[in-house]
Amino acid sequence: MVTKIDGATTCNDKERQVFETEIDMGTVHPAALEPYRVRLFVEDEIVKDAEITVGLNHRGIERIMEGLPVEKANALTEKVCGICSNGHIYNSCRVGEGAIGIDIPERAIALRVLAEEFERLHSHMLYLGHGSEVLCHETFAMRIFYIRESIMELLYMMGGNRVQYGISVLGGVRPRADLNLKEQQRVLDTMDYIDKHVAEFAERFVADPMVMSRITGTGQLSKKQAQDLHVTGPSLRAQGIEYDYRTKMFEYDGVDFDIVTADGGDVKANILVRVGEIFESTKIVRQVINNLPKGPIVNRDWEMVDSPVYKSYIEVPRGVCFHSYGLEDGKVRHSIIRTPSMSNIGAMQEACIGHPLQDAQLAIVSCDPCFTCTDRAIQVIKL
């Protein structure tokens, strides 16, 4: 018989005091290769509270952009993230184009969508591989990383690099990003390869009882918590909320895809959403290739003008990404960048509460955090 008496537990007539213990994870941790610190407050190995601290790798990119020529500033935004580098330069170019009033050729729009879906594919597969490592399942990790190599080869073909591809420029895309017929066929063949092998991976993953027991119910958030904490991207759709900012982007007009959702809001739901989005991305890529418009890939027929701050939102692999800046004599002023992880950090703190210590890191990485991106953010307090 076990009873609680005045904050202590008695068992077999022996009194045992319950202590709260603080466990620190980071700033370097083998399960999360990001510069951040997590403080976990535990009792009997159950997490009672958590605190995530960022700002350990602040590089000041927004401040460096201040006063740079707009095209050089756009190129700098690729350095924000090595995983979402295309999304950042893409969105930064959208800001400049909206501020100046540049019309983008249809073929360039299609190629930008293609590059962004390539990046979504590689990011989601990286998530699955990293998640498998946190689950201590190296076999699953290596299998999905092997499949991911096929999309990395396409990004290299299109941009000339495996990261920081430099595809978008003000007014369109670089000449290297255009695809000839042979390259277009290679893209279609790769989509078939990804569909086949990711389906096999997913089938084996969900059939593993040990894996499923670890991820089901772990890191669970309610819909209200997700909305109150401003969760975005696949982590929001894992709550069963059907919201994808691509439906609001003019570049995706006429593109047919389903918004993938799952119920539960736990690690399992997060994984299932990303697996489903892989198949939606391959569907989008096929549509773009099969309907690729002819014509120019860049519009250089424009003049620089001054502009107040212009804002742009896009859907990157982790959620909604925000960029804004103004223009003065062709130079960037008042740049602000907000990445999806900034919105998801509060959810990560809540997601690990109530779970055993060994599942805390699994709950945190279920939102696919990128703290290196987030570390450009600063808080200004008015006195």
Side-chain angles (χ1 to χ4, degrees):
M1 178 179 178
V2 180
T3 58
K4 276 283 218 179
I5 301 177
D6 295 329
T9 303
T10 63
C11 183
N12 298 327
D13 298 325
K14 292 182 180 180
E15 192 173 277
R16 178 177 60 82
Q17 184 68 41
V18 178
F19 293 96
E20 182 185 79
T21 304
E22 178 180 338
I23 306 285
D24 283 350
M25 298 169 62
T27 56
V28 178
H29 191 275
L33 307 179
E34 298 279 359
Y36 71 107
R37 180 190 181 207
V38 182
R39 299 173 68 196
L40 299 174
F41 302 93
V42 302
E43 286 183 1
D44 292 338
E45 296 195 7
I46 301 300
V47 177
K48 298 296 184 179
D49 201 359
E51 177 185 279
I52 297 178
T53 303
V54 298
L56 305 163
N57 192 37
H58 183 70
R59 292 168 292 159
I61 286 180
E62 290 152 314
R63 179 64 184 87
I64 297 171
M65 290 174 66
E66 185 74 19
L68 285 181
V70 61
E71 293 190 90
K72 182 176 283 189
N74 289 340
L76 181 63
T77 60
E78 280 200 305
K79 307 300 188 289
V80 170
C81 181
I83 299 174
C84 304
S85 58
N86 180 75
H88 283 291
I89 191 172
Y90 173 23
N91 203 20
S92 190
C93 286
R94 282 175 111 243
V95 173
E97 290 155 359
I100 298 169
I102 304 174
D103 293 326
I104 313 302
E106 290 187 1
R107 189 175 180 89
I109 291 173
L111 291 170
R112 284 182 174 183
V113 170
L114 199 65
E116 189 56 27
E117 293 308 312
F118 285 171
E119 189 163 78
R120 196 179 318 279
L121 285 165
H122 107 72
S123 179
H124 282 356
M125 284 188 266
L126 180 67
Y127 170 86
L128 294 173
H130 180 44
S132 297
E133 288 179 329
V134 177
L135 284 164
C136 301
H137 206 308
E138 294 293 335
T139 301
F140 280 148
M142 291 300 103
R143 281 175 176 168
I144 196 67
F145 278 135
Y146 185 81
I147 302 168
R148 177 176 171 267
E149 277 302 299
S150 63
I151 200 68
M152 298 307 295
E153 290 175 1
L154 293 186
L155 284 165
Y156 179 81
M157 177 186 75
M158 196 173 184
N161 286 307
R162 287 171 62 91
V163 294
Q164 300 176 6
Y165 329 103
I167 290 171
S168 291
V169 294
L170 211 57
V173 298
R174 294 184 185 277
R176 182 187 179 102
D178 202 4
L179 302 178
N180 58 39
L181 292 176
K182 183 178 180 180
E183 290 168 334
Q184 293 175 35
Q185 186 57 52
R186 180 181 176 184
V187 170
L188 294 175
D189 292 342
T190 301
M191 295 305 105
D192 292 339
Y193 172 87
I194 289 173
D195 278 352
K196 178 177 182 293
H197 288 85
V198 170
E200 292 174 351
F201 169 86
E203 185 178 351
R204 291 175 179 175
F205 193 92
V206 299
D208 191 309
M210 294 297 291
V211 169
M212 297 308 290
S213 66
R214 283 288 308 281
I215 64 177
T216 303
T218 302
Q220 193 166 36
L221 289 172
S222 67
K223 283 187 179 182
K224 186 178 186 307
Q225 282 179 306
Q227 291 172 324
D228 289 347
L229 295 169
H230 304 285
V231 175
T232 183
S235 294
L236 179 65
R237 296 188 281 276
Q239 307 291 333
I241 299 173
E242 193 171 308
Y243 182 85
D244 189 319
Y245 200 80
R246 283 178 292 178
T247 60
K248 300 179 183 293
M249 295 171 61
F250 71 88
E251 293 94 333
Y252 285 83
D253 289 346
V255 178
D256 177 40
F257 68 97
D258 296 324
I259 299 177
V260 180
T261 62
D263 294 323
D266 55 4
V267 177
K268 176 184 175 182
N270 273 275
I271 291 173
L272 293 178
V273 166
R274 287 169 174 83
V275 169
E277 288 189 357
I278 288 174
F279 299 115
E280 293 303 311
S281 286
T282 60
K283 185 167 73 175
I284 291 171
V285 168
R286 290 189 183 93
Q287 292 176 66
V288 172
I289 291 295
N290 291 329
N291 299 285
L292 194 61
K294 298 185 181 299
I297 60 170
V298 66
N299 174 17
R300 288 293 185 185
D301 186 19
W302 49 269
E303 294 182 3
M304 183 63 66
V305 297
D306 289 352
S307 168
V309 171
Y310 189 91
K311 303 174 182 178
S312 176
Y313 297 85
I314 65 169
E315 179 86 15
V316 294
R318 291 171 174 81
V320 178
C321 178
F322 169 82
H323 280 243
S324 71
Y325 57 75
L327 293 173
E328 182 181 320
D329 297 328
K331 295 180 173 60
V332 167
R333 301 295 183 193
H334 312 300
S335 173
I336 295 177
I337 302 170
R338 191 201 68 198
T339 63
S341 290
M342 194 62 197
S343 299
N344 289 334
I345 285 177
M348 297 178 220
Q349 290 185 158
E350 296 294 324
C352 61
I353 295 174
H355 294 293
L357 181 61
Q358 65 268 25
D359 288 337
Q361 187 64 22
L362 182 60
I364 291 171
V365 302
S366 69
C367 298
D368 199 11
C370 184
F371 291 100
T372 303
C373 292
T374 305
D375 270 349
R376 303 148 0 283
I378 60 174
Q379 182 179 15
V380 178
I381 301 176
K382 293 183 179 180
L383 299 177

